Amino acid sequence: MYKILRRKELNPTVTLLDIEAPLIAKKAEPGQFIILRVDSEGERIPLTIADYDREAGWVRIIFQIVGGTTEKLNHLKEGDFINDFVGPLGVPTHVDGLKKVAVVGGGVGCAIAFPIAKKLHNMGAEVHSVVGFRNKDLVILEDDFAAVSDKMMMTDDGSHGTKGLVTNALKELIESGEKYDEVIVIGPLIMMKFVCALTKEYGVKTTVSMNPIMIDGTGMCGGCRLTVGGETKFACVDGPDFDGHLVDFDEALERGSMYKPFERHAHEEACNLFAKEVQ
Amino acid sequence: MPNMSLKKNEMPSQDPNVRNKNFKEVALGYTKEQAMDEAARCLNCKNKPCVTGCPVQIDIPTFVQHVAAGDFEAAYEVIAKSSALPAVCGRVCPQESQCEGKCVRGIKGEPVAIGRLERFVADYHNENCTEKPVKPESNGHKVAIIGSGPSGLTCAGDLAKKGYDVTIFEALHLAGGVLVYGIPEFRLPKAIVQKEIDGLKDLGVKVETNMVIGKVLSIDELIEEYGFEAVFIGSGAGLPRFMNIPGENLKGVYSANEFLTRVNLMKAYKDDSATPIMKAKKVAVVGGGNVAMDAARSAKRLGAEEVYIVYRRS
């Protein structure tokens, strides 16, 4: 059992939890993930590590409520326990030797982009972050990004920062002559796909963090497979980071929708369940 | 005088048209009488070819003679000397190519049903014996076992009986390896696996779940910081291999490992499971081994109307 040390709602659909997991905190690196199970009957879900404190022994996760499991997770309080918490899994984001990087985050993906921006900043690299949200109510980690990078805030509707998509901002930066060693982009698949299309035009190396459906996270099941450069790769052990110019995003989008009806159903059921408990 | 019937005693089982709609165990096990009658088919021959066919060299004729005499606990003691998992092995060992494959009775007629007898003895013991095994005296040596599948559990059992301080590290949230994520409930009930693992715990074996060794701790750390003197790696058969044919990443294409893990470990066969699974009307299973059969039978039980096994050999 793994104790929740801290809980904070970052916006109405995104929550931060610090979980007591000293062994994982000792080894975690930006870009890696954990798999958790809320209770003894729960499904296993992968979440990328958003931060960690090796001395205090906690690992931070930030998640968006999308299905029954995240709904249940969101109802736990500080002091409650999560049944299972395993990691750190996957290969850490490759940051060695990078001098100037654009970190692009979209929505809850910013939670994963942040520790990478922080690590790059601490290494002495110049970091430009481009973070995008649908509107101002969904903005998370604004101050955190500001502390470690030159930040550009984008919202789809212009209610905060600049109106437009992250691709608009990134294009402007590149066209204004910024030369990046690498662009690291984390967010919804569709956003990563379009960022990669853009950076390919300009020939800038781009890394994406993939978050497909996963069960064991150790390479055993193959559920998280992707096509990268024409080869089948497992996000859990070969990734989750891949060369964005080689990833078959259309296939990943299709595979990601496999259980959409089930997720919606589970989410609604969980909502009703909690509604009943409140009454 | 041995029972000279050429045929094995049939083991009672669920009716095909009932069992293809549920996940309960297919085979129901021998009664005492059936077991004794079957055991009497053993000729107790001198050169014991069955023992050479057994990977852990259980003294098969001796345990079978105890069954024939109705002394099932004595039979259990004989098996337990060589095997840590009799209730599991009695169900899922490929006896036809091991002990039974060598049985002299198999030359003319069917071999002695050694597997069914092993299963009977283990189940009898589990149902009737309430005494916990005596914890062996510790020899003070610590051993780490990576993976809690059949090899890890067997190794743990053998070492614990010799007095070693054994800790098993399991990557998943539940111990058992392929016995819990791969082999379906209808062939190997999970309660049976749990019982065998509980038996190991009674012997003093510790089980740490959610530990991916190599990620959370290295083998060097196990030895240098945690004081383990030896490490056994039983990490399993590993990654699924895909065939690199067009369409294999389409929605609805599963590796057997993913399909079976969803069904077994994550209990997708239960209506109230939180784990989604595709319940298709028409299913093709590529392959022809045990795993393919497990997948095909699971698909049928999940409600498929047609299940095809596609195999490259005749």
Side-chain angles (χ1 to χ4, degrees), chain A:
Chain A
M1 301 288 269
Y2 303 81
K3 192 174 182 181
I4 297 173
L5 301 177
R6 176 165 174 247
R7 179 184 185 278
K8 189 181 172 200
E9 285 178 15
L10 300 185
N11 74 33
T13 62
V14 176
T15 301
L16 169 156
L17 297 177
D18 289 347
I19 311 292
E20 188 174 45
L23 289 179
I24 302 174
K26 220 170 128 188
K27 291 286 171 72
E29 292 289 344
Q32 289 187 297
F33 65 95
I34 57 90
I35 286 184
L36 66 81
R37 234 166 44 117
V38 178
D39 54 45
S40 63
E41 295 304 314
E43 64 173 338
R44 296 168 63 93
I45 57 163
L47 289 170
T48 306
I49 294 168
D51 208 348
Y52 49 81
D53 186 322
R54 300 208 200 283
E55 277 72 47
W58 54 254
V59 172
R60 177 167 299 163
I61 50 171
I62 295 178
F63 61 94
Q64 185 163 30
I65 304 158
V66 289
T69 298
T70 42
E71 178 77 46
K72 262 197 283 185
L73 189 59
N74 192 44
H75 279 77
L76 297 179
K77 301 181 288 291
E78 282 178 10
D80 286 348
F81 290 86
I82 292 176
N83 213 77
D84 299 287
F85 198 76
V86 56
L89 301 168
V91 181
T93 299
H94 179 80
V95 290
D96 290 347
L98 297 180
K99 297 271 184 302
K100 184 165 177 172
V101 182
V103 176
V104 182
V108 74
C110 293
I112 307 159
F114 170 69
I116 298 165
K118 182 171 143 186
K119 173 130 193 178
L120 287 162
H121 173 76
N122 290 345
M123 283 166 40
E126 186 182 353
V127 184
H128 290 175
S129 56
V130 180
V131 291
F133 300 91
R134 282 211 306 279
N135 60 54
K136 74 172 189 325
D137 295 333
L138 301 178
V139 171
I140 58 170
L141 304 177
E142 185 173 11
D143 297 340
D144 301 78
F145 276 105
V148 300
S149 62
D150 287 333
K151 160 185 74 80
M152 281 193 73
M153 170 66 65
M154 307 295 291
T155 49
D156 294 4
D157 65 355
S159 56
H160 193 62
T162 310
K163 182 177 165 128
L165 303 172
V166 290
T167 39
N168 305 135
L170 185 64
K171 185 170 180 171
E172 260 177 45
L173 286 168
I174 295 173
E175 295 225 313
S176 71
E178 301 286 359
K179 294 259 178 282
Y180 298 113
D181 298 332
E182 193 169 321
V183 172
I184 298 175
V185 49
I186 302 158
L189 281 172
I190 195 77
M191 182 196 100
M192 295 198 285
K193 176 182 166 174
F194 282 105
V195 169
C196 289
L198 175 76
T199 55
K200 197 166 187 180
E201 252 175 64
Y202 293 95
V204 186
K205 187 184 173 206
T206 302
T207 297
V208 296
S209 175
M210 303 299 283
N211 187 18
I213 293 163
M214 209 175 265
I215 308 177
D216 62 296
T218 63
M220 182 272 282
C221 86
C224 65
R225 64 193 187 274
L226 306 157
T227 301
V228 181
E231 282 177 49
T232 295
K233 296 279 183 191
F234 292 176
C236 65
V237 288
D238 299 323
D241 288 2
F242 292 100
D243 180 338
H245 296 153
L246 299 178
V247 171
D248 184 340
F249 282 103
D250 293 334
E251 181 188 273
L253 279 160
E254 192 59 25
R255 284 184 65 76
S257 69
M258 194 149 162
Y259 299 113
K260 273 278 145 57
F262 192 98
E263 270 165 27
R264 222 176 347 255
H265 173 73
H267 179 52
E268 280 160 13
E269 213 168 62
C271 288
N272 288 339
L273 197 67
F274 290 118
K276 266 182 221 147
E277 274 173 13
V278 171
Q279 280 162 10

Side-chain angles (χ1 to χ4, degrees), chain B residues 195-274:
Chain B
K195 188 106 189 172
E196 303 273 35
I197 293 168
D198 290 344
L200 294 179
K201 286 183 180 167
D202 290 338
L203 287 174
V205 172
K206 295 181 272 291
V207 180
E208 300 278 351
T209 53
N210 294 324
M211 296 291 280
V212 181
I213 301 301
K215 290 289 187 185
V216 70
L217 291 175
S218 65
I219 287 181
D220 287 345
E221 285 171 311
L222 288 178
I223 292 170
E224 283 156 24
E225 290 175 30
Y226 290 81
F228 290 100
E229 293 166 72
V231 178
F232 174 86
I233 303 175
S235 56
L239 315 184
R241 282 207 307 270
F242 289 88
M243 295 179 295
N244 290 318
I245 56 174
E248 71 183 4
N249 290 347
L250 290 174
K251 281 197 279 189
V253 181
Y254 285 112
S255 73
N257 273 5
E258 182 184 1
F259 182 66
L260 292 172
T261 301
R262 283 180 182 275
V263 173
N264 301 321
L265 177 74
M266 305 309 296
K267 304 194 173 74
Y269 70 89
K270 290 187 175 168
D271 285 338
D272 60 350
S273 169

